[in-house]
Amino acid sequence: YMAPMQEPLTKAGFAWFSINYRLAPKYRYPACLEDVETAIRWVKAHAAQYHLDPQRIALAGESAGSQLIAMAAVRADEATRVAAVIPFYLPADLLEDPLKTGVLNPSRSALIGRTEFNDESRALLRAASPMYFVKPGLPPFLLLHGTADQSVPYHQSVDMQAQLRAAGVPCDLITIPGGVHGMIGWDAVAPDYKDQVVAWLKTTLKIPAAKP
């Protein structure tokens, strides 16, 4: 689902890896997050082989993938720390919906392996919500979110930006007016969003300008 960004990144000279992770309900959280962290360590360990700068690694992900990269960033150690994080339509707070409804929707139930919303499931969902683990010293974030997202409320990215900035973490937000959940169709309402992502990456990672 990150495919729309692949060509722009390639044209801009970025190397990128598309990773996979174990899925619920067969594998419960945090198996998926552990796979993302394993992938980060693997890329760092093979940086020389692929002619990469291990100090300029960025994570990008969309929807569930954005939750995983944000969680990887907020709980990173020296082996998994990265230089930038780009979550697309981030579910920053997995507790918001069950706190309102009192029930777990199927995706959250599958993720944590629980069927009832109680103290136990509440603790598990909180532990999977990057909103609750923002702290100073995190890498810069770039959030992208459409205002017409029916799956993850747009305000979750707004709230996450506020949390990050309050902690002194650089965070920009690209709002896609009328954008739905998923980048399909974004070109029609925000034709320059890919260029904005590439420009942000070049600035944030301090990529030297190409020689004429």
Side-chain angles (χ1 to χ4, degrees):
Y1 297 103
M2 288 297 297
M5 287 303 310
Q6 291 172 356
E7 184 177 354
L9 290 172
T10 301
K11 285 184 175 180
F14 289 97
W16 52 266
F17 295 81
S18 179
I19 71 169
N20 207 349
Y21 54 83
R22 287 169 289 174
L23 299 175
K26 183 176 181 180
Y27 301 100
R28 298 174 183 171
Y29 186 86
C32 46
L33 175 56
E34 291 166 353
D35 290 347
V36 172
E37 292 170 335
T38 297
I40 296 169
R41 289 190 288 267
W42 188 92
V43 169
K44 287 189 174 186
H46 293 81
Q49 177 183 348
Y50 290 97
H51 309 290
L52 309 176
D53 183 349
Q55 302 302 313
R56 287 188 172 126
I57 295 175
L59 299 178
E62 58 97 52
S63 197
S66 71
Q67 176 258 340
L68 295 179
I69 65 167
M71 284 302 304
V74 298
R75 77 173 204 168
D77 57 21
E78 192 59 36
T80 57
R81 181 173 173 83
V82 297
V85 189
I86 309 178
F88 288 73
Y89 25 97
L90 170 66
D93 183 2
L94 300 185
L95 274 173
E96 180 184 26
D97 185 61
L99 283 174
K100 289 179 180 178
T101 64
V103 298
L104 295 177
N105 67 27
S107 64
R108 282 164 178 72
S109 181
L111 183 68
I112 62 173
R114 302 294 186 274
T115 57
E116 296 183 4
F117 185 53
N118 51 30
D119 289 344
E120 182 187 24
S121 56
R122 177 174 181 154
L124 290 169
L125 288 174
R126 187 183 188 280
S129 299
M131 179 82 75
Y132 297 101
F133 300 97
V134 170
K135 59 188 176 184
L138 295 177
F141 274 64
L142 173 63
L143 303 168
L144 294 95
H145 213 133
T147 59
D149 194 320
Q150 298 297 310
S151 299
V152 179
Y154 166 71
H155 73 80
Q156 288 221 359
S157 284
V158 175
D159 295 346
M160 185 67 172
Q161 182 187 39
Q163 287 276 88
L164 287 162
R165 287 185 167 180
V169 179
C171 180
D172 294 302
L173 170 60
I174 296 176
T175 296
I176 310 298
V180 297
H181 193 76
M183 283 176 261
I184 304 280
W186 275 19
D187 284 329
V189 293
D192 64 340
Y193 82 91
K194 298 170 191 172
D195 293 335
Q196 291 184 64
V197 172
V198 169
W200 185 89
L201 268 175
K202 287 182 175 180
T203 299
T204 303
L205 300 181
K206 298 180 173 60
I207 304 298
K211 294 181 180 179

